[in-house]
Amino acid sequence: MDMLKQLNAAIEYIEANLCTEFSLDTAAGIACITADSFHRFFSYMTGISLTEYVRRRRLTLAAQDLRHSEARIVDVAVKYGYDSAAAFSRAFVKQHGMTPSVYRKSGGSLKVYLPAHFHIVIKGAKEMDFRMIELEDIQVYGASKQYEGQGYKTHEELRHSMWADYEDDVPGQLCEGSWNQPGSTAYDGVWYGIWQDGKYMIARERADVKTDKLESRTLPAGTYAAFKTECGGLAWEEFPKLRELIFDSWLPASEYRQTCDLVIEVLHLWTDHDLRQKNRYYEVWIPVEPKMTSDAQHTENH
C-alpha cells in the first residue's frame, strides 16, 4: 500500500499548490516515479490529463471563491492562473455553463470536480451536477417503514420493497391509478424518498396525493447541497452511485459538513412507461452548513 500512499501524497501536493505553478517533477518525486510515468499513470487511471484535471479543479475552487468572498472577478482569475478576466470567463462558461458574474449574482448549477484519490479504485476527478439550494419548509404526505433492525441488508432492498407494486406498493397508497396506465398522469412529477432516524419514507406534496390519511412531515427549511443524475437511469443503480460520490468523495473534500442525518432522494417520474424510461432523473439533497461556521460554534461552546 506504500504506492497508494505515495500517489495520494502527490495528489495532496498538487491540491495544496493549485494556485501556484506546482512542479510536475516534485509531484512525481513524491510518488517515487518519473514525471513521464506519473503523467501517463494519472491519465490512464482517471481518464483525463493532469493538465485538464488541474483546470477543472481550479475552476471548481474559483466558483467557491466567487460565492463566498467579495474578491473582484479579475483577482479570482489571477489567483487561479488566468491572465485576464476575459480568459477566465471563457473557461468558466465552458465548465459551468455561465459567466462568473452571472454565477456570483444569481447562483446556479455547477459542474464541480472532486479531488482525485487513489484507493484501490479511483475516486474523484468525476463530474458531478451540483448546486446549493435554499429550501422553504415543504409539507409532504406519505408512508414510512423502519430500516434499522428490520433485517434489510441494504437501503436498496427496503426502497425496492416499498416501491414495488407486488410488495408494499406505496405509490398506489398515495395516488390514484397505477404505473404505465395509458392517458394517465397520476404519477407524473416529483416524489420524495426520505431517510432519517432509521426510517425510509415515500412522500409527495399535498396536491399530488389522493388522501390526507397519510403520515405527514415537514422537510425543514435551510441550505442544501443538491446533486442530480443524468436522465434515463434506474433508481436502484443511480442512488447508490450518487451517494457514494457525495459521502465518500465530495463531502470530505468540500467546505461543508452535513448538519443532521437527513438525506432526501428526489425522483422526477412519469406515469407513462416510455416517457419515464426516457426522461426520469434523480437528485439527492443533504442539509449542510459551512465547516468554518460549525467549527466557530464548536469553539464558542467550549
Side-chain angles (χ1 to χ4, degrees):
M1 293 302 174
D2 284 346
M3 182 180 180
L4 287 176
K5 291 180 180 178
Q6 291 159 356
L7 288 167
N8 285 323
I11 295 299
E12 289 174 5
Y13 161 76
I14 291 170
E15 285 289 320
N17 291 277
L18 282 173
C19 294
T20 64
E21 290 300 323
F22 66 86
S23 167
L24 176 59
D25 288 334
T26 300
I30 294 171
C32 298
I33 55 179
T34 67
D36 286 345
S37 295
F38 181 78
H39 203 282
R40 286 196 300 271
F41 179 84
F42 186 92
S43 298
Y44 174 76
M45 296 304 290
T46 64
I48 59 174
S49 70
L50 182 59
T51 300
E52 178 64 12
Y53 170 80
V54 170
R55 186 189 71 81
R56 293 179 179 184
R57 287 290 297 137
R58 283 175 172 170
L59 289 167
T60 295
L61 297 178
Q64 293 178 6
D65 282 7
L66 290 172
R67 181 178 178 86
H68 297 294
S69 80
E70 296 181 358
R72 297 184 305 163
I73 290 176
V74 66
D75 293 333
V76 175
V78 171
K79 177 180 178 180
Y80 290 100
Y82 291 89
D83 295 332
S84 67
F88 173 61
S89 182
R90 288 193 296 271
F92 199 92
V93 169
K94 182 178 179 181
Q95 178 158 317
H96 298 302
M98 72 192 90
T99 65
S101 58
V102 168
Y103 176 68
R104 167 167 275 176
K105 180 179 179 181
S106 306
S109 180
L110 297 175
K111 298 294 186 188
V112 298
Y113 290 86
L114 307 174
H117 180 69
F118 300 94
H119 183 71
I120 306 301
V121 295
I122 305 303
K123 296 180 179 179
K126 296 180 180 179
E127 176 181 313
M128 298 183 75
D129 194 327
F130 155 78
R131 70 191 191 282
M132 300 300 296
I133 58 176
E134 295 291 335
L135 288 188
E136 301 292 337
D137 287 342
I138 302 176
Q139 192 73 23
V140 296
Y141 300 82
S144 68
K145 200 169 185 178
Q146 194 75 26
Y147 169 67
E148 295 180 356
Q150 299 303 307
Y152 296 104
K153 296 179 181 179
T154 64
H155 288 84
E156 285 63 53
E157 187 177 321
L158 172 57
R159 186 194 297 109
H160 174 76
S161 73
M162 292 181 67
W163 281 90
D165 56 8
Y166 54 85
E167 293 192 44
D168 294 339
D169 190 22
V170 173
Q173 299 175 36
L174 272 60
C175 300
E176 299 285 358
S178 61
W179 296 113
N180 309 323
Q181 195 170 26
S184 173
T185 59
Y187 286 15
D188 288 13
V190 176
W191 296 73
Y192 298 98
I194 304 160
W195 296 94
Q196 191 173 34
D197 299 330
K199 291 183 177 181
Y200 177 65
M201 181 180 190
I202 297 175
R204 303 194 78 182
E205 295 184 45
R206 181 67 186 90
D208 297 319
V209 296
K210 64 184 179 182
T211 176
D212 57 3
K213 295 180 180 179
L214 298 165
E215 297 176 45
S216 67
R217 67 170 297 166
T218 301
L219 302 181
T223 301
Y224 288 74
F227 305 84
K228 186 175 77 171
T229 69
E230 295 182 356
C231 293
L234 296 167
W236 64 271
E237 293 178 336
E238 295 295 339
F239 280 130
K241 291 189 295 185
L242 195 54
R243 288 176 68 121
E244 181 180 7
L245 275 175
I246 293 168
F247 292 103
D248 290 357
S249 296
W250 181 83
L251 197 59
S254 78
E255 60 193 295
Y256 297 96
R257 69 176 74 232
Q258 190 176 10
T259 57
C260 63
D261 72 341
L262 173 64
V263 176
I264 304 172
E265 297 174 347
V266 186
L267 303 90
H268 300 262
L269 302 176
W270 281 258
T271 313
D272 179 86
H273 177 270
D274 292 336
L275 287 176
R276 187 168 70 256
Q277 202 168 41
K278 177 182 177 182
N279 297 327
R280 65 189 168 204
Y281 67 95
Y282 313 100
E283 297 181 89
V284 171
W285 299 348
I286 59 171
V288 294
E289 66 181 0
K291 288 177 180 176
M292 291 184 296
T293 300
S294 182
D295 291 343
Q297 291 174 346
H298 179 80
T299 301
E300 289 177 3
N301 292 336
H302 290 76

